[in-house]
Amino acid sequence: AQSVTQLGSHVSVSEGALVLLRCNYSSSVPPYLFWYVQYPNQGLQLLLKYTSAATLVKGINGFEAEFKKSETSFHLTKPSAHMSDAAEYFCAVSHYGGSQGNLIFGKGTKLSVKP
Amino acid sequence: NAGVTQTPKFQVLKTGQSMTLQCAQDMNHEYMSWYRQDPGMGLRLIHYSVGAGITDQGEVPNGYNVSRSTTEDFPLRLLSAAPSQTSVYFCASSTVVRANEAFFGQGTRLTVV
């Protein structure tokens, strides 16, 4: 069965500092991996996705994530945090087709950005 | 292009009442799914569908019913509401053509009193 673990339910950084949100997955076959962002009282918006092409994936708002098969990780980074990055971030995994086409989500990491 | 449309946005129910959350998508996606979001729990899959006429249970299906008579619509029925079903509900659609990237509705905040 596939699963996702996000380390740290809350992460706090200063404005301008590096953002690092951790995600590890469990999967017996090559996965599709996603990062979504949720701003307060809103739905989920896709930041980026990995689909077995390039291992370094660039997304919106300056975020990027690197797929590391040996570490079963897909950590999200941004070189310089902005106040507008404060939100909750979700990592998710799925596979091609059938019942495994659904996204399985981690529990989320709430990012706070201090001025 | 509306994407995924969920109604209502807010709902208060009394224990034991039933209701239907509506979800419609206009992207011709084969997958549709319902999630519930609770603090500290992430999003948990309730039911999903891989095409019209085909539905299956997710992680937390008890107390909910679904049907998929058309590609576009995927309503979620609460049979007899309980306080434990107080949550935010999200409908999503996706397609294998886009590597299962899920498109979400804006959510329904449901309170059961």
Side-chain angles (χ1 to χ4, degrees), chain A residues 4 14 27 29 36 39 43 46-47 49 51 58 62 67 71-72 76 78 87 89 96 99 104 106 110:
Chain A
V4 172
S14 298
S27 173
V29 296
Y36 282 84
Y39 299 101
L46 180 72
L47 274 178
K49 66 181 180 185
T51 60
K58 294 188 185 298
F67 172 69
E71 299 177 8
T72 60
L76 183 70
K78 182 174 180 178
Y89 293 80
Y96 180 87
S99 63
I104 304 301
K110 194 163 289 188

Side-chain angles (χ1 to χ4, degrees), chain A residues 32 34 36 38 41-46 49-51 88 90 94-108, chain B residues 31-33 35 37 40-45 48-50 56 88 90 94 96 98-107 109:
Chain A
Y32 297 143
F34 307 83
Y36 282 84
Q38 185 181 34
N41 300 313
Q42 293 191 24
L44 280 81
Q45 178 184 5
L46 180 72
K49 66 181 180 185
Y50 167 76
T51 60
E88 191 158 20
F90 293 94
S94 78
H95 298 96
Y96 180 87
S99 63
Q100 298 192 83
N102 295 297
L103 267 63
I104 304 301
F105 285 87
K107 295 189 176 181
Chain B
Y31 279 93
M32 294 188 76
S33 49
Y35 294 86
Q37 182 180 22
M41 301 295 291
L43 280 82
R44 292 180 293 169
L45 185 64
Y48 67 95
S49 169
V50 300
D56 207 345
V88 180
F90 287 99
S94 61
V96 295
R98 292 186 63 122
N100 303 337
E101 173 189 339
F103 292 78
F104 285 87
Q106 285 300 299
R109 187 172 295 272

